[in-house]
Amino acid sequence: MQEDEAYFNSEDFQELLNSYEASVEAGEQPFMDADDLVDIADYYNQNGEKDKALDVIDYSLQLYPNATLPNVFMAREALMRNDFKEAREYANRIADHDDPDYHYLQAEIMIAEGHINEADRYLRDYEMTVDADEYQDFIKDCANLYIDYGINDKAYEWMMRSKGDNSSDFKELMARTLFGLGKFEDSERIFNELIDRDPYSTRYWKALAGVQLMNEDYGNAVTSSEYALAIDPEDPESIMSKASALMHLENYEEAEKYYRRYIKIEPDDEAGPFHLALCLIYQGRYQEAKDYLLQAEAICEEDSPALLHIYQELAFCYSALKELPKALEAIDKTLPLTDDPNNVLVIKGHILLCNDDLEAAQKIWKQAMINSKHSPAVMLRILVSLYDNHYTKSCYNMLKEYCEIYDDNKEYSTEGYSYLALCCHDLGYKDEFLKYLQIAIERNPREAKSVLGSLFPQDTEVNDYYEYMTHHLNQ
């Protein structure tokens, strides 16, 4: 994190890098320490030059076949491919079993395999051998291992074993751990403390913007991104953060400018054209959006998880353009990519209904209900589709029945009331609207804000919806 960035910008590292690159360019084989070669590989890797990084590691393993760090690098490459056997082969080549990085690698392989408790026991056993002056670094290294794999509760457990570390790198690690645990306000507070220490850190401002985006604090996310961009105007992550925040604020024209900026800087990242397409869809510019979605598809690797979302949005675009066969073809492409085939059927029915084929939509939805064993979640998605296609009265009747059936069900009694309130609003059922609005606010304020927010002034708090609407309707 902070140390790597500072080292890569240092005069010592730049001299090392220039020496290596000059030797390679001259067709010579530079003789360097294994750790220095791995630093160069890490630098290339961090800057998206994977092929160069692997060339450096291949060369370092020729010189030092049993060195720790080159084998750790290759083992982690294998773990990214879920090739646990190859990762262990690289681990077994390491000669120095007293090296901390050897032990971290052994624990990481266990974590990657899903053996979380086994890894934790291994690290706790190793903890007993760690010198006191190295203990704080050991704690951070263990926490980092778990954070890398999204196991934030374990990372938090390890960090709580720290003995009063007030360093910036520890605070940053804690902020990222709290972010992973969904404790956005605590994470934001720590990032603000870090910014007080170093107000010119692009990384801190970017991280703060990310926390604010997740906490739906879009106005402040724009501001934090702007501070990051003031320090580094070409930083792609900051550009993407600002674009996303602007889009959530429905400032689509401005968001579009930043997505286009991102595409110029990162032309090989499918996220750019995909999010620009979403921005265009929100503006009703489906033909342009379709073209950018096809561009995103062309960039994607065959196994990219982004393809699922690209095909879904393509299906909606083709549907809006009244190209039904292409829309159905696009949504069918999502089936092998999803673990929720019933959701695909719901979307397929929605597309058919958008194209005025109610009978075909009903057949598809019936299949989804049977396949899901009459799942309430599937039923609710179907009812939302009915509303979106202006079958308001039918949706109202079915939602009332849905809410009555699941009113006492802890899992489902929080959902659907916002849509029922919206139906009542559209149908002019004033008393019922207020009734279901109040229930929606109490049971699921996030859903209430998402579904009903457009009925209120932009800055109205969800908890004020009922009072505002009562006053508004009685005028």
Side-chain angles (χ1 to χ4, degrees), residues 237-280:
E237 189 178 339
S238 302
I239 293 169
M240 178 62 83
S241 292
K242 184 171 181 180
S244 298
L246 287 166
M247 189 158 73
H248 279 99
L249 291 169
E250 299 181 10
N251 189 346
Y252 300 125
E253 291 183 7
E254 199 65 19
E256 182 182 337
K257 293 177 186 176
Y258 281 88
Y259 284 130
R260 292 188 185 279
R261 236 173 104 179
Y262 181 86
I263 291 170
K264 286 183 180 178
I265 296 172
E266 297 286 348
D268 297 324
D269 183 4
E270 68 270 14
F274 174 73
H275 283 95
L276 176 56
L278 291 182
C279 191
L280 294 169

Coordinates of all heavy atoms in Angstrom, one line a residue, residues 237-280:
E237 N -9.3 5.6 -11.6 CA -10.3 5.3 -10.5 C -11.1 6.4 -10.0 O -12.3 6.3 -9.8 CB -9.5 4.6 -9.4 CG -10.4 4.0 -8.3 CD -9.6 3.3 -7.2 OE1 -8.4 3.0 -7.5 OE2 -10.1 3.1 -6.1
S238 N -10.4 7.6 -9.9 CA -11.1 8.8 -9.5 C -12.1 9.3 -10.5 O -13.2 9.7 -10.2 CB -10.1 9.9 -9.2 OG -9.2 9.5 -8.2
I239 N -11.7 9.2 -11.8 CA -12.7 9.5 -12.8 C -13.9 8.6 -12.8 O -15.0 9.1 -12.9 CB -12.0 9.4 -14.2 CG1 -10.9 10.5 -14.3 CG2 -12.9 9.6 -15.4 CD1 -9.9 10.4 -15.5
M240 N -13.7 7.3 -12.6 CA -14.8 6.4 -12.6 C -15.7 6.7 -11.4 O -16.9 6.6 -11.4 CB -14.3 5.0 -12.6 CG -15.4 3.9 -12.5 SD -16.5 3.9 -13.9 CE -15.6 2.9 -15.1
S241 N -15.1 7.0 -10.2 CA -15.9 7.3 -9.0 C -16.7 8.5 -9.2 O -17.9 8.5 -8.8 CB -14.9 7.5 -7.8 OG -14.3 6.3 -7.5
K242 N -16.2 9.5 -9.8 CA -16.9 10.7 -10.0 C -18.1 10.5 -10.9 O -19.2 10.9 -10.7 CB -16.1 11.9 -10.5 CG -16.8 13.2 -10.6 CD -15.9 14.4 -10.9 CE -16.8 15.7 -11.0 NZ -16.0 16.9 -11.3
A243 N -17.8 9.7 -12.0 CA -18.9 9.4 -13.0 C -20.0 8.7 -12.3 O -21.2 8.9 -12.5 CB -18.3 8.6 -14.1
S244 N -19.6 7.7 -11.5 CA -20.7 6.8 -10.8 C -21.5 7.7 -9.9 O -22.7 7.5 -9.8 CB -20.0 5.7 -10.1 OG -19.3 4.8 -10.9
A245 N -20.9 8.5 -9.1 CA -21.6 9.4 -8.2 C -22.5 10.3 -8.9 O -23.7 10.5 -8.6 CB -20.6 10.2 -7.3
L246 N -22.0 10.9 -10.0 CA -22.9 11.8 -10.8 C -24.1 11.1 -11.4 O -25.2 11.6 -11.5 CB -22.0 12.4 -12.0 CG -21.0 13.5 -11.5 CD1 -20.0 13.8 -12.7 CD2 -21.7 14.8 -11.1
M247 N -23.9 9.8 -11.8 CA -25.0 9.1 -12.4 C -26.0 8.8 -11.3 O -27.2 8.8 -11.6 CB -24.5 7.8 -13.1 CG -25.6 7.1 -13.9 SD -25.0 6.0 -15.1 CE -24.4 4.6 -14.2
H248 N -25.6 8.5 -10.1 CA -26.5 8.2 -9.0 C -27.3 9.5 -8.7 O -28.4 9.4 -8.2 CB -25.8 7.7 -7.8 CG -25.6 6.2 -7.9 ND1 -24.3 5.7 -8.2 CD2 -26.4 5.1 -7.7 CE1 -24.4 4.4 -8.2 NE2 -25.6 4.0 -7.9
L249 N -26.7 10.6 -8.9 CA -27.3 11.9 -8.7 C -28.2 12.3 -9.9 O -28.8 13.4 -9.9 CB -26.3 13.0 -8.4 CG -25.6 12.9 -7.1 CD1 -24.4 13.8 -7.0 CD2 -26.5 13.1 -5.9
E250 N -28.3 11.4 -10.9 CA -29.1 11.7 -12.1 C -28.6 12.8 -12.9 O -29.3 13.4 -13.7 CB -30.6 11.8 -11.8 CG -31.1 10.6 -11.1 CD -32.6 10.7 -10.8 OE1 -33.2 11.6 -11.2 OE2 -33.1 9.8 -10.0
N251 N -27.3 13.2 -12.8 CA -26.7 14.2 -13.6 C -26.0 13.4 -14.7 O -24.8 13.3 -14.8 CB -25.6 15.0 -12.8 CG -25.1 16.2 -13.5 OD1 -25.3 16.3 -14.7 ND2 -24.4 17.1 -12.8
Y252 N -26.8 12.9 -15.6 CA -26.3 12.0 -16.7 C -25.4 12.7 -17.7 O -24.4 12.0 -18.1 CB -27.5 11.4 -17.4 CG -28.4 10.6 -16.4 CD1 -29.8 10.9 -16.4 CD2 -27.9 9.6 -15.6 CE1 -30.6 10.2 -15.5 CE2 -28.8 8.9 -14.7 CZ -30.1 9.2 -14.7 OH -30.9 8.5 -13.8
E253 N -25.7 13.9 -18.0 CA -24.9 14.5 -19.0 C -23.4 14.7 -18.5 O -22.5 14.5 -19.3 CB -25.5 15.9 -19.4 CG -26.8 15.8 -20.2 CD -27.3 17.1 -20.6 OE1 -26.6 18.2 -20.4 OE2 -28.4 17.2 -21.2
E254 N -23.3 15.1 -17.3 CA -22.0 15.3 -16.7 C -21.3 13.9 -16.5 O -20.1 13.8 -16.7 CB -22.1 16.1 -15.4 CG -20.8 16.7 -14.9 CD -20.3 17.8 -15.8 OE1 -21.1 18.3 -16.7 OE2 -19.1 18.1 -15.8
A255 N -22.1 12.9 -16.0 CA -21.5 11.6 -15.8 C -21.0 11.0 -17.2 O -19.9 10.4 -17.2 CB -22.6 10.7 -15.3
E256 N -21.7 11.3 -18.2 CA -21.3 10.8 -19.6 C -19.9 11.3 -19.9 O -19.1 10.6 -20.5 CB -22.3 11.3 -20.6 CG -22.0 10.8 -22.0 CD -23.1 11.3 -23.0 OE1 -24.2 11.6 -22.6 OE2 -22.7 11.3 -24.2
K257 N -19.6 12.6 -19.6 CA -18.3 13.2 -19.9 C -17.2 12.4 -19.2 O -16.2 12.2 -19.8 CB -18.3 14.7 -19.5 CG -19.2 15.6 -20.3 CD -19.2 17.0 -19.7 CE -20.2 17.9 -20.4 NZ -20.2 19.3 -19.7
Y258 N -17.5 12.1 -18.0 CA -16.4 11.4 -17.2 C -16.2 9.9 -17.6 O -15.1 9.4 -17.6 CB -16.7 11.5 -15.7 CG -16.3 12.9 -15.2 CD1 -17.1 14.0 -15.2 CD2 -15.0 13.1 -14.7 CE1 -16.8 15.2 -14.8 CE2 -14.6 14.4 -14.3 CZ -15.5 15.4 -14.3 OH -15.1 16.7 -13.9
Y259 N -17.3 9.3 -18.0 CA -17.2 7.9 -18.5 C -16.4 8.0 -19.8 O -15.5 7.1 -20.1 CB -18.6 7.3 -18.8 CG -19.2 6.8 -17.5 CD1 -20.5 7.2 -17.2 CD2 -18.5 6.0 -16.6 CE1 -21.1 6.8 -16.0 CE2 -19.2 5.6 -15.4 CZ -20.4 6.0 -15.1 OH -21.1 5.5 -14.0
R260 N -16.6 9.0 -20.7 CA -15.9 9.1 -21.9 C -14.4 9.3 -21.6 O -13.5 8.8 -22.3 CB -16.5 10.1 -22.8 CG -17.9 9.8 -23.4 CD -18.4 10.8 -24.4 NE -19.7 10.5 -24.8 CZ -20.1 9.6 -25.7 NH1 -19.1 8.8 -26.3 NH2 -21.4 9.4 -26.0
R261 N -14.1 10.1 -20.6 CA -12.7 10.4 -20.2 C -12.1 9.1 -19.8 O -10.9 8.8 -20.1 CB -12.8 11.4 -19.0 CG -11.9 12.6 -19.3 CD -12.1 13.6 -18.2 NE -11.0 13.6 -17.3 CZ -10.9 14.4 -16.3 NH1 -11.9 15.3 -15.9 NH2 -9.8 14.4 -15.5
Y262 N -12.8 8.3 -19.0 CA -12.3 7.0 -18.5 C -11.9 6.1 -19.7 O -10.9 5.4 -19.7 CB -13.3 6.3 -17.6 CG -12.8 5.0 -17.0 CD1 -12.1 5.0 -15.8 CD2 -13.1 3.8 -17.6 CE1 -11.6 3.8 -15.3 CE2 -12.6 2.6 -17.1 CZ -11.9 2.6 -15.9 OH -11.4 1.5 -15.4
I263 N -12.8 6.0 -20.7 CA -12.6 5.2 -21.8 C -11.3 5.6 -22.6 O -10.5 4.7 -23.0 CB -13.8 5.2 -22.8 CG1 -15.0 4.5 -22.1 CG2 -13.4 4.5 -24.1 CD1 -16.3 4.6 -22.8
K264 N -11.0 6.8 -22.7 CA -9.8 7.3 -23.3 C -8.5 6.8 -22.6 O -7.5 6.5 -23.2 CB -9.8 8.8 -23.5 CG -10.7 9.3 -24.5 CD -10.7 10.9 -24.6 CE -11.6 11.4 -25.7 NZ -11.6 12.9 -25.8
I265 N -8.6 6.8 -21.2 CA -7.5 6.5 -20.4 C -7.3 5.0 -20.3 O -6.2 4.4 -20.3 CB -7.6 7.1 -19.0 CG1 -7.5 8.6 -19.1 CG2 -6.5 6.6 -18.1 CD1 -7.8 9.4 -17.9
E266 N -8.5 4.3 -20.2 CA -8.5 2.8 -20.0 C -9.3 2.1 -21.2 O -10.4 1.6 -20.9 CB -9.1 2.4 -18.7 CG -8.3 2.9 -17.5 CD -7.0 2.2 -17.2 OE1 -6.8 1.1 -17.9 OE2 -6.2 2.6 -16.4
P267 N -8.8 2.2 -22.4 CA -9.5 1.7 -23.5 C -9.8 0.2 -23.5 O -10.7 -0.3 -24.2 CB -8.7 2.1 -24.8 CG -7.3 2.2 -24.2 CD -7.5 2.7 -22.8
D268 N -9.0 -0.6 -22.7 CA -9.1 -2.0 -22.7 C -9.9 -2.5 -21.5 O -9.9 -3.8 -21.3 CB -7.7 -2.7 -22.7 CG -6.9 -2.3 -23.9 OD1 -7.5 -2.3 -25.0 OD2 -5.7 -2.2 -23.8
D269 N -10.6 -1.6 -20.8 CA -11.4 -2.0 -19.7 C -12.9 -2.0 -20.1 O -13.4 -0.9 -20.4 CB -11.1 -1.1 -18.5 CG -11.9 -1.5 -17.2 OD1 -12.6 -2.5 -17.3 OD2 -11.8 -0.8 -16.2
E270 N -13.5 -3.1 -20.0 CA -14.9 -3.2 -20.4 C -15.8 -2.3 -19.5 O -17.0 -2.0 -19.9 CB -15.4 -4.6 -20.4 CG -15.6 -5.3 -19.1 CD -14.3 -6.0 -18.7 OE1 -13.2 -5.8 -19.3 OE2 -14.4 -6.8 -17.8
A271 N -15.4 -2.0 -18.3 CA -16.2 -1.2 -17.4 C -16.5 0.2 -18.0 O -17.6 0.7 -17.7 CB -15.5 -1.0 -16.0
G272 N -15.6 0.7 -18.8 CA -15.9 2.1 -19.3 C -17.0 2.1 -20.3 O -18.0 2.8 -20.0
P273 N -17.0 1.3 -21.4 CA -18.2 1.3 -22.3 C -19.4 0.8 -21.6 O -20.5 1.2 -22.0 CB -17.7 0.4 -23.5 CG -16.5 -0.3 -23.0 CD -15.9 0.5 -21.9
F274 N -19.3 -0.2 -20.7 CA -20.5 -0.7 -20.1 C -21.2 0.3 -19.3 O -22.4 0.5 -19.4 CB -20.1 -1.9 -19.1 CG -21.3 -2.4 -18.3 CD1 -22.3 -3.1 -19.0 CD2 -21.4 -2.2 -17.0 CE1 -23.4 -3.6 -18.2 CE2 -22.5 -2.6 -16.3 CZ -23.5 -3.3 -16.9
H275 N -20.5 1.1 -18.4 CA -21.1 2.1 -17.6 C -21.6 3.3 -18.4 O -22.6 3.9 -18.1 CB -20.2 2.5 -16.5 CG -20.1 1.5 -15.4 ND1 -19.1 0.6 -15.3 CD2 -20.9 1.3 -14.3 CE1 -19.3 -0.2 -14.2 NE2 -20.4 0.2 -13.6
L276 N -20.8 3.6 -19.5 CA -21.3 4.7 -20.4 C -22.6 4.2 -21.0 O -23.6 5.0 -21.1 CB -20.3 4.9 -21.5 CG -20.7 6.0 -22.5 CD1 -21.1 7.3 -21.9 CD2 -19.6 6.2 -23.5
A277 N -22.8 2.9 -21.4 CA -24.0 2.4 -21.9 C -25.2 2.6 -20.9 O -26.3 3.0 -21.3 CB -23.9 1.0 -22.3
L278 N -24.9 2.3 -19.7 CA -26.0 2.5 -18.6 C -26.4 3.9 -18.6 O -27.6 4.2 -18.5 CB -25.4 2.0 -17.3 CG -25.2 0.5 -17.1 CD1 -24.7 0.3 -15.6 CD2 -26.5 -0.3 -17.3
C279 N -25.4 4.8 -18.6 CA -25.7 6.3 -18.6 C -26.6 6.7 -19.8 O -27.5 7.5 -19.6 CB -24.4 7.0 -18.6 SG -24.5 8.8 -18.2
L280 N -26.3 6.1 -20.9 CA -27.1 6.4 -22.1 C -28.5 5.8 -22.0 O -29.5 6.4 -22.5 CB -26.3 5.9 -23.4 CG -25.0 6.6 -23.7 CD1 -24.2 5.8 -24.7 CD2 -25.2 8.1 -24.1

